[in-house]
Amino acid sequence: MDKLRALHYFVAAVEEGSFSAAARRFDVSVPAVTKLVSSLERDLGVKLLDRSTQGLALTARGAQYLESCTPLLAQLADAERALVAPELRRTRTLVVGAPPLLSRALLVPALPEWHERHPHVHIDLRTVDFLTVTDTATRGVDVLVALGWPGSVDLVQRPLVQSRLIVCASPAYWRRHGIPARPAELANHACPLVRSPEGTVLDLWRHMRDGVVEEVAVSGWLTCANRDDVLQAVLLGQGVGRFADLSVWPFVRDGLLQPVLVDWESSDSPPFSALIRPESKRDAVVQDFVGFLSDLLGPVEAKCSAAFGARPSAVRPRWYASRPGRASKSRGG
């Protein structure tokens, strides 16, 4: 048995959640992966994975074995990279997950610069929509850019920047409907809304100024599961949206979106973080990509701070853990 290959197949099967996905990662057949992992279990004399129609699950012994093996595999990869000249390095894939607005506005335009520095790295960019980070969403991802509060996922968190939620519409929309003087007046405007993966419609917009808190339950004729769709509706003049300023900075900069109420601070503004698997803490490529994210977002945060004010504290709102319904039902959190 090729034990090293078996270890790689085992780790991939755990990260991807299935033998078929692990086989695709290595471009081999599913039986090849299944056979080698089964041989590894026989050789060790323990069951590493429970198989079911719902997928794969680590056994207690399997989790123990995975925890012991992954640092060794990472060290071996580091040793190989140190010996191989940059021009001869084998191509590897870095799986990156990011919110769609951030990918579209900032990440994808900057990736060519990353590619020039790492021509041997193939980027597999995946959409991780909205604020909720789940174990399913992070499966197989090397670096995850999270907007919000990650919760209990078993990943190492690297803080990047703090956003500030801003209320925006197209200049044409404001000309037709007028600019609100205070947050309460947003109740008179059409506001395309986003629904979280848990089913919460985020209709409660809370703002603060000089110690005064003003909440408004906004409404509109359109509710979307994807914040990018809300952005498209707002850009087309169909209403007012609320976005993390870094995610829409290019549209504000180019005059496609006009922020209002910037003297009111949103207390629900989410932070941006990079999440990585514990075994990747020593992976040079992963760490360099996290540094690249920090270098990319830091200057944008500075521009947004100059335009919209200081960064608010990232207090997790009560609606974040809500279930199907409307966030306005969680008033006071």
Side-chain angles (χ1 to χ4, degrees), residues 30-45:
V30 176
V33 174
T34 305
K35 181 179 179 180
L36 212 50
V37 173
S38 297
S39 297
L40 177 62
E41 290 178 315
R42 287 194 299 271
D43 186 65
L44 295 171

Side-chain angles (χ1 to χ4, degrees), residues 130-133 146-151 157 269-273 314 320:
F130 203 64
L131 306 177
T132 301
V133 178
L147 173 59
W149 298 265
Q157 183 175 349
S269 298
F272 283 92
S273 304
Y320 197 83

Side-chain angles (χ1 to χ4, degrees), residues 58-232:
L58 276 170
T59 64
R61 300 292 295 276
Q64 180 183 2
Y65 190 62
L66 178 68
E67 184 179 1
S68 299
C69 288
T70 45
L72 298 176
L73 292 175
Q75 291 177 28
L76 179 60
D78 287 344
E80 290 178 347
R81 283 192 291 270
L83 291 175
V84 178
E87 64 274 11
L88 298 177
R89 289 176 181 169
R90 291 177 296 174
T91 299
R92 63 168 286 187
T93 296
L94 185 73
V95 181
V96 178
L101 286 192
L102 184 72
S103 294
R104 176 183 176 184
L106 297 173
L107 184 54
V108 170
L111 281 179
E113 176 186 343
W114 161 266
H115 177 66
E116 287 184 5
R117 300 207 314 253
H118 300 273
H120 63 290
V121 178
H122 173 83
I123 297 290
D124 182 350
L125 183 60
R126 304 181 183 180
T127 295
V128 179
D129 199 11
F130 203 64
L131 306 177
T132 301
V133 178
T134 64
D135 291 326
T136 301
T138 62
R139 185 172 292 162
V141 176
D142 295 306
V143 181
L144 176 66
V145 185
L147 173 59
W149 298 265
S152 61
V153 291
D154 188 22
L155 297 172
V156 177
Q157 183 175 349
R158 304 287 194 218
L160 293 173
V161 292
Q162 173 62 43
S163 75
R164 182 186 180 109
L165 290 176
I166 55 174
V167 175
C168 301
S170 69
Y173 177 89
W174 293 132
R175 285 194 297 269
R176 291 197 307 270
H177 300 282
I179 294 176
R182 58 187 310 117
E185 294 180 13
L186 291 169
N188 302 321
H189 289 265
C191 298
L193 299 173
V194 68
R195 180 188 295 106
S196 76
E198 290 80 12
T200 306
V201 177
L202 303 186
D203 65 336
L204 181 62
W205 293 4
R206 181 184 294 108
H207 292 81
M208 180 183 299
R209 186 177 67 180
D210 299 329
V212 176
V213 176
E214 194 159 300
E215 295 180 339
V216 56
V218 297
S219 61
W221 60 269
L222 178 64
T223 300
C224 306
N226 189 314
R227 195 170 286 268
D228 194 56
D229 292 334
V230 173
L231 173 62
Q232 292 306 306

Side-chain angles (χ1 to χ4, degrees), residues 272-291:
F272 283 92
S273 304
L275 306 180
I276 62 175
R277 293 195 297 272
E279 62 269 20
S280 297
K281 289 190 293 185
R282 298 184 67 255
D283 187 313
V285 172
V286 168
Q287 293 303 320
D288 194 75
F289 193 83
V290 173

